[in-house]
Amino acid sequence: MFDIPANIFPWVKAIVGLALIGALFGAGMAAIWIERKLAGDIQERYGPNRVGPMGLLQLVADAIKLFTKEDIIPARVDKILYIGAPIVIMMSVFLMLVAIPFGAVYINGVEYVLAATQMDISILYIEAVSAIAVIGIFVLGYGQNNKYAMMGTFRNFARMIGYEIPLGITIVSVAVMAGSLDVVEIVHAQSPIWYAFLQPIGFIVFFIAMMADMGRLPFDQNEAEEELQAGVFTEYSGMRFGLGFFAEYFHLILGSFLISLLFLGGWNLPGFVTDNIVLGIILPTLFLIAKATIVMMFIIMMRWAVPRFRIDQVVDLSWKKLLPLSLLNLGWAIALGLYLGA
């Protein structure tokens, strides 16, 4: 990271933070549009195509609808928890956003990472703050005083706790092989070969566990097929519901970037030379965005390829299959790390 004069440091940090939040909301709207279009193609229909070119302004119309809907607070809810729960969930997203690099630029052979901050334990920090969403989900369900919301909360608890363990073990496997907990250093360690090839089992386990952590189908336990309601968001309406809806897509975007950073080489591309200053500024970030977009599109397509699992199937997959595989991958990562280090 380049040095910034102390007198402008707070202003630069504020501008970078606001720019990242704005970019995240823009990316969230783009992800919704991509999902609708892909769903239309898979199901042989048009998808959004009436409001604006290619249906792009449909997202703006939906946002206006959510903002202008009446904010109804049911009489018997715990108002403090009811109002605060969406804020806690969004706080988890924004805390993750701080430490995730979204690309890099090369100027005269020097790399400048595009991140709000860079820390030595960034991947550990990201894993820790992502777990705040578990608290947010509990507050969300408990504060509504609704049995269907609580059932959705308990299903989410069973899923998120079960998949956080293999997810964390796989992250340790990556850190062991890279010799660092810094996401940037993990990306640098993949310059000759991506970890998706060195740890194929770890890549598969991390991918599945990350999908479950995002709450994407077939691991969408917020709702259930037999319950004709909105699961943990049963009593929410208007923009409070919109925040929960957007949080799912924010986790989808950040999770896709994490998969690309930890296993697909981040902004590295084999054979890429950074001698040209223009290409060095543009291409590395485009590489990372392209990888994350492909990962995100694959996750979206899985929604229409696999039916929602029952909660017992979700728990069995985590504890009986992914956990042993993640431990096996950890042993492989330690052995391979010692061999390559020698």
Side-chain angles (χ1 to χ4, degrees):
M1 300 289 287
F2 54 88
D3 294 328
I4 300 174
N7 58 339
I8 66 168
F9 186 79
W11 293 102
V12 171
K13 283 291 183 183
I15 292 171
V16 170
L18 291 174
L20 284 175
I21 292 173
L24 183 62
F25 273 93
M29 296 179 71
I32 296 171
W33 181 82
I34 290 172
E35 175 153 30
R36 289 178 173 179
K37 280 296 186 182
L38 281 177
D41 291 339
I42 292 170
Q43 298 170 0
E44 295 186 355
R45 55 183 177 83
Y46 289 112
N49 66 338
R50 298 299 181 90
V51 186
M54 300 180 67
L56 287 171
L57 295 182
Q58 181 67 52
L59 306 171
V60 179
D62 290 342
I64 293 173
K65 179 186 72 174
L66 288 172
F67 271 114
T68 54
K69 271 191 170 183
E70 183 180 2
D71 182 20
I72 299 174
I73 300 179
R76 296 187 177 183
V77 302
D78 187 318
K79 290 188 177 180
I80 295 177
L81 299 182
Y82 182 88
I83 294 172
I87 299 173
V88 174
I89 293 175
M90 293 301 294
M91 181 177 67
S92 170
V93 173
F94 293 146
L95 289 174
M96 290 173 62
L97 186 65
V98 170
I100 296 179
F102 292 92
V105 298
Y106 290 87
I107 301 175
N108 297 325
V110 180
E111 180 187 73
Y112 300 101
V113 178
L114 301 179
T117 185
Q118 185 177 341
M119 56 184 78
D120 295 335
I121 55 168
S122 55
I123 190 59
L124 190 63
Y125 166 84
I126 293 168
E127 172 73 4
V129 298
S130 69
I132 295 176
V134 179
I135 302 173
I137 290 293
F138 175 76
V139 174
L140 195 74
Y142 184 80
Q144 293 176 67
N145 193 25
N146 181 288
K147 62 181 180 180
Y148 290 110
M150 280 304 297
M151 283 193 290
T153 297
F154 290 137
R155 287 196 301 267
N156 271 280
F157 259 31
R159 185 201 76 225
M160 297 177 77
I161 293 175
Y163 284 86
E164 284 287 344
I165 296 174
L167 190 72
I169 293 174
T170 312
I171 288 175
V172 171
S173 303
V174 170
V176 165
M177 188 169 288
S180 175
L181 290 168
D182 185 357
V183 176
V184 176
E185 294 300 324
I186 292 172
V187 171
H188 291 164
Q190 298 178 73
S191 55
I193 183 170
W194 299 347
Y195 285 168
F197 300 111
L198 294 178
Q199 298 186 37
I201 295 176
F203 175 62
I204 294 171
V205 170
F206 187 84
F207 194 95
I208 296 173
M210 182 58 73
M211 281 186 61
D213 201 50
M214 296 174 194
R216 297 290 304 180
L217 280 167
F219 303 99
D220 180 16
Q221 303 304 316
N222 295 331
E223 306 172 13
E225 299 289 354
E226 66 275 11
E227 299 170 8
L228 300 178
Q229 41 77 41
V232 293
F233 297 103
T234 297
E235 300 288 354
Y236 281 88
S237 63
M239 201 54 209
R240 297 188 200 279
F241 173 82
L243 286 177
F245 179 75
F246 263 104
E248 177 183 333
Y249 284 91
F250 292 158
H251 279 101
L252 170 64
I253 294 165
L254 297 182
S256 299
F257 271 95
L258 278 178
I259 292 170
S260 303
L261 290 165
L262 298 183
F263 285 95
L264 301 178
W267 52 85
N268 290 324
L269 193 68
F272 173 68
V273 181
T274 58
D275 293 338
N276 187 297
I277 188 170
V278 176
L279 297 180
I281 292 174
I282 298 173
L283 286 186
T285 302
L286 287 182
F287 291 157
L288 178 56
I289 293 175
K291 292 173 185 178
T293 303
I294 293 171
V295 170
M296 183 180 69
M297 291 175 68
F298 182 82
I299 293 173
I300 288 172
M301 287 189 289
M302 287 290 291
R303 174 175 183 173
W304 310 107
V306 183
R308 180 186 282 122
F309 295 160
R310 298 193 313 268
I311 186 60
D312 62 304
Q313 294 172 325
V314 171
V315 174
D316 283 350
L317 178 62
S318 169
W319 292 102
K320 295 181 180 180
K321 296 179 176 63
L322 293 189
L323 180 58
L325 286 174
S326 64
L327 292 172
L328 176 64
N329 181 73
L330 177 60
W332 165 255
I334 293 172
L336 187 60
L338 290 173
Y339 174 77
L340 294 177

